[in-house]
Amino acid sequence: MSAEMETSEGVDESEGKNSGVLEKENHLRMADLSELLKEGTKEAHDQAENTQFVKDFLKGNIQKEIFKLATTALYFTYSALEEEMDRNKDHPAFTPLYFPMELHRKEALTKDMKYFFGENWEEQVQCSKATQRYVERIHYIGQNEPELLVAHAYTRYMGDLSGGQVLKKVAQRALKLPSTGEGVQFYLFENVDNAQQFKQFYRARMNALDLNMKTKERIVEEANKAFEYNMQIFNELDQARSALARETAEDGIPVHDGKGDVRKCPYYAEQVKGALGGSSCPFGAAMALLRKPSFQVILAAGVALAAGLLAWYYM
């Protein structure tokens, strides 16, 4: 009887140790920042991937003029992000994730801007209100809470290396862009040989950051804020597109040919300004938002940040 009891206790003790090890491993895995981000943003992620705009983009329902606006918003977003990353490259909470040669997009976006708008592109574009809000947030955390930059860097760059590659192909096909990469330099990571391996390496670096659980939770919260910015822009975008379609259908507004000063378009003064609290002149469906600030900015920022949401969908 005594021998049997000893044997049984020995088995129980061994099983208990194994169970304890597995429980500890699961706890450590769930404490990984990448896992926390994945689980903590799942609801926002699901909402984003089901927006009509995202579905349309994936189907190739994207016009060139709107894609140009998307590139513009991306330029301002990444300019802010990379400025703050450069500022905080020696910060212990961010240094391990600083890969300017491999990841930075501002230079590539500058090439895309020149391709779409010409050499004087800087005189033709401006930051939208929606994008400006996100830019201001990035600058704020870069200067006050740099550890939260992790949320934006991870969301953007890992997405660009994932779903961004899908977007590149969709855009090239839908817009008949050159196969050599003109207009989609943003999506080309020439210094990343294997995207999948680099993403794994990046996540490992991120998980190894010396952060307490409270800080990790704040990073997840910041990532959700980024999704909230996106969803707000999509709501604006849907309202703007609906308003434009309704006004055009009711009043039979002719399609603008894109020539001349669009600010002189009577539709801008009498219709859109009152309906949206902003201003613009439609170029039909695609050219409606190219030049006039307030109305175009909604769509510009929406398309640009849609790239980020689509990227998360394909990660």
Side-chain angles (χ1 to χ4, degrees), residues 13 30 34 40 55-56 64 73 94 118-119 130-131 165-166 169 176 192 223 246 252 258 267 272 278 286:
E13 182 178 355
M30 290 309 297
S34 62
K55 294 178 181 178
D56 287 344
K64 188 174 183 179
F94 191 76
E119 291 296 325
T131 305
Q165 302 311 297
V166 175
K169 294 178 181 178
K176 296 180 172 56
V192 176
R246 183 171 60 253
Y267 184 81
V272 182

Side-chain angles (χ1 to χ4, degrees), residues 50-240:
N50 285 304
T51 60
Q52 189 59 48
F53 188 80
V54 170
K55 294 178 181 178
D56 287 344
F57 202 132
L58 287 172
K59 293 177 182 178
N61 295 335
I62 180 72
Q63 298 89 355
K64 188 174 183 179
E65 296 304 328
I66 296 177
F67 191 78
K68 289 165 66 174
L69 294 174
T71 304
T72 301
L74 286 170
Y75 172 81
F76 286 111
T77 299
Y78 279 86
S79 294
L81 179 58
E82 290 165 9
E83 178 182 340
E84 295 305 330
M85 290 169 64
D86 289 341
R87 184 199 307 275
N88 291 282
K89 63 182 179 182
D90 296 322
H91 193 286
F94 191 76
T95 296
L97 302 180
Y98 185 66
F99 295 98
M101 291 296 295
E102 293 84 357
L103 297 178
H104 280 197
R105 300 287 84 203
K106 183 178 179 180
E107 183 178 347
L109 281 163
T110 298
K111 294 178 181 179
D112 289 337
M113 296 294 280
K114 288 181 179 179
Y115 174 79
F116 285 122
F117 295 100
E119 291 296 325
N120 65 337
W121 63 271
E122 291 179 288
E123 300 174 7
Q124 303 180 47
V125 301
Q126 60 182 308
C127 186
S128 75
K129 290 183 179 179
T131 305
Q132 185 62 37
R133 288 194 292 269
Y134 187 57
V135 164
E136 290 173 356
R137 178 61 183 174
I138 291 172
H139 283 310
Y140 174 82
I141 64 174
Q143 296 170 29
N144 297 280
E145 302 176 89
E147 62 276 9
L148 299 186
L149 281 175
V150 175
H152 298 287
Y154 176 71
T155 301
R156 294 304 320 185
Y157 293 115
M158 294 302 96
D160 297 333
L161 287 168
S162 302
Q165 302 311 297
V166 175
L167 292 177
K168 180 189 71 174
K169 294 178 181 178
V170 171
Q172 285 180 317
R173 181 173 61 252
L175 305 179
K176 296 180 172 56
L177 296 174
S179 60
T180 47
E182 287 85 347
V184 288
Q185 289 293 307
F186 168 73
Y187 299 106
L188 302 179
F189 291 80
E190 296 179 349
N191 294 319
V192 176
D193 294 329
N194 186 303
Q196 188 61 34
Q197 290 181 4
F198 187 87
K199 287 187 294 182
Q200 293 175 355
F201 170 71
Y202 192 94
R203 291 189 181 100
R205 280 287 189 96
M206 187 172 63
N207 291 335
L209 291 172
D210 186 15
L211 304 172
N212 57 39
M213 183 56 68
K214 182 176 181 180
T215 301
K216 292 179 180 180
E217 291 173 351
R218 287 172 58 231
I219 290 173
V220 173
E221 182 181 354
E222 185 66 25
N224 275 301
K225 285 183 179 179
F227 276 100
E228 289 174 10
Y229 281 118
N230 292 337
M231 297 303 295
Q232 290 171 10
I233 292 169
F234 287 139
N235 289 336
E236 281 186 324
L237 172 62
D238 289 338
Q239 292 172 12

